[in-house]
Each structure stands twice: as C-alpha cells, then as structure tokens.
Amino acid sequence: KFYLKIDNFAAERAHTHSFTYTANNGKITATCTAGCDKGYDTTPLTLTLTAPASLVYDGNAKVFTFADGEAAAWTGAGLELPTFEYYLDKPETPWLDGLDGDPIAAAEGYVVMIRVGVKTAKVEFNIDKATPYIKTNPEPTDIVYGKKLSDSTLFGGYVQVSSTNTTQVGGLFEWKLGDTIPALSDSETTEYDVTFTPADTNNYNTVSCKVKIKVTHTHNPVKVN
C-alpha cells in the first residue's frame, strides 16, 4: 500500500517551451505553458510512476520505475527525468534519515522523494512481512500415554519463502499447546497445532500447521509361551 502526498511544484525547464510540473494520482505531469504556438507539446506530457512490483518482503529492493516508453518520451521532449531518493521514518525534510540503499526489509514509514530539478513529490509506503510456506510438516517423536505434547520432539520439516520460491527459511517448530496430554484414542488420529517461528522475525510472520502423534501404552508387553 502506498499513498501519494502532493507537493505542488511548478518550474520552467530549459527547453523550447516552458512547462509547469504537477504531481497527482501517482503521475508527474508536465504541461506546456509557453512556446507552444507550433502545436508541439500542447498536450500535457505525463510520466507514469510504477509502484514496486511487490510490497511484501522477498529479499529484493522495492523501487519505483518508469512505465515502458515514457522515460524516452520525457527525455525526447527535452525534459529532465525525475530522480528517486528513498528515506525511512517519514522525514519532514528530505535530507533527514537518509536510507543507505534501496528499501528491502519489511518496515513501515518508507518514503520516496521524487525530484524534478528542485521540485519534489513525496510517496509514502510500507513493506509488509512475508508469510513463509510450510512445504513439509515436522515429524514428532512418540510419547507414552500420560505424557504431554511438549515431551515429544519435533524434527525435520521444511519451510520456504513461498509456494514457488523454494529458498529455505530458518526457524523453530514448537507445539502450540505443549501441556496437552493426548489420550490413547488420539494416537495417530487427532491433529495438534504446531507453530513455526522464523529466525528472522523482522521480515517473516509465524505460521502454523497440524501434526498427528503416536501415543503408546505405559507398559512393555512381555512375550510368553
């Protein structure tokens, strides 16, 4: 999600014509205000700003780009291309809280300052945490009747970035209600909630799955003739 805050900016660029620049609805628009008697540039020239392809953490930069062909049209008209500067924590002035590189990590309060000469527009946006995908559920060790779920160790299981991105996400599986004592009738039948807590909690949400467990009798059978 992102919001456009408009700082009305008007400036004349070095060109055969004069232009007024405005920012509205995610676009920077250059409007010819003088020198348009030959019919060239009488229609406002617009440059569409494309929001980041994804505003969910995936390890890649979330940056604004120009729509196909529009940057060439902008420069072809002799206009200066806008530049983008990224900041964090919604700076009151653009030189505060500078960001070292493009925004990548999940966080609230990113700001991109869009500049044309000395004029600017400001767009605020957030990058949301990613919800990892449990590809393979963990396996629990067996417990003896009367023991708690927490007495069973969860092992294995594979968690990845998404259903299509197989990069592993490190973390820990734990029983959600570890004090639960399963009955013999629950053995390999009842499903219990297991929570996966990612190691990188800054960029990933916790997720859960359901796991069955084997409950054995408390006595050891004796083989007799």
Side-chain angles (χ1 to χ4, degrees):
K1 51 188 175 181
F2 64 96
Y3 310 91
L4 179 68
K5 286 192 175 181
I6 301 173
D7 297 326
N8 287 328
F9 51 88
E12 294 187 355
R13 308 304 303 157
H15 186 53
T16 54
H17 311 295
S18 297
F19 291 88
T20 295
Y21 295 94
T22 58
N24 187 30
N25 296 328
K27 293 183 180 181
I28 290 179
T29 304
T31 305
C32 184
T33 58
C36 306
D37 54 316
K38 294 183 179 180
Y40 184 73
D41 292 333
T42 54
T43 301
L45 179 65
T46 62
L47 178 66
T48 302
L49 303 177
T50 303
S54 171
L55 290 175
V56 176
Y57 175 77
D58 61 2
N60 297 312
K62 305 294 183 289
V63 295
F64 285 67
T65 58
F66 302 126
D68 290 343
E70 295 211 30
W74 189 270
T75 55
L79 302 174
E80 178 183 349
L81 280 176
T83 59
F84 306 106
E85 299 173 1
Y86 295 92
Y87 301 87
L88 192 56
D89 298 329
K90 301 179 180 179
E92 291 298 322
T93 50
W95 54 84
L96 295 178
D97 299 325
L99 186 64
D100 184 15
D102 296 330
I104 294 178
E108 296 183 353
Y110 282 111
V111 172
V112 55
M113 302 300 295
I114 306 164
R115 300 179 182 278
V116 180
V118 296
K119 305 302 179 180
T120 63
K122 180 169 66 174
V123 175
E124 299 177 1
F125 62 97
N126 301 331
I127 297 179
D128 298 326
K129 291 184 180 183
T131 300
Y133 176 75
I134 300 177
K135 177 68 174 180
T136 306
N137 288 348
E139 294 288 340
T141 57
D142 299 347
I143 58 172
V144 174
Y145 172 68
K147 294 293 185 179
K148 301 177 182 179
L149 287 176
S150 58
D151 292 316
S152 171
T153 300
L154 293 163
F155 63 94
Y158 191 87
V159 181
Q160 56 192 49
V161 174
S162 67
S163 59
T164 56
N165 186 338
T166 60
T167 302
Q168 185 173 11
V169 177
L172 178 67
F173 284 104
E174 295 179 297
W175 296 104
K176 183 176 181 178
L177 299 174
D179 289 336
T180 300
I181 300 176
L184 287 172
S185 59
D186 294 320
S187 181
E188 299 183 289
T189 301
T190 303
E191 292 182 322
Y192 297 96
D193 291 322
V194 169
T195 301
F196 174 79
T197 303
D200 183 3
T201 55
N202 290 327
N203 292 309
Y204 290 102
N205 294 312
T206 59
V207 287
S208 61
C209 61
K210 292 183 178 295
V211 173
K212 297 178 182 179
I213 188 171
K214 183 176 181 180
V215 182
T216 63
H217 290 275
T218 57
H219 66 275
N220 294 319
V222 179
K223 185 177 180 179
V224 297
N225 292 327

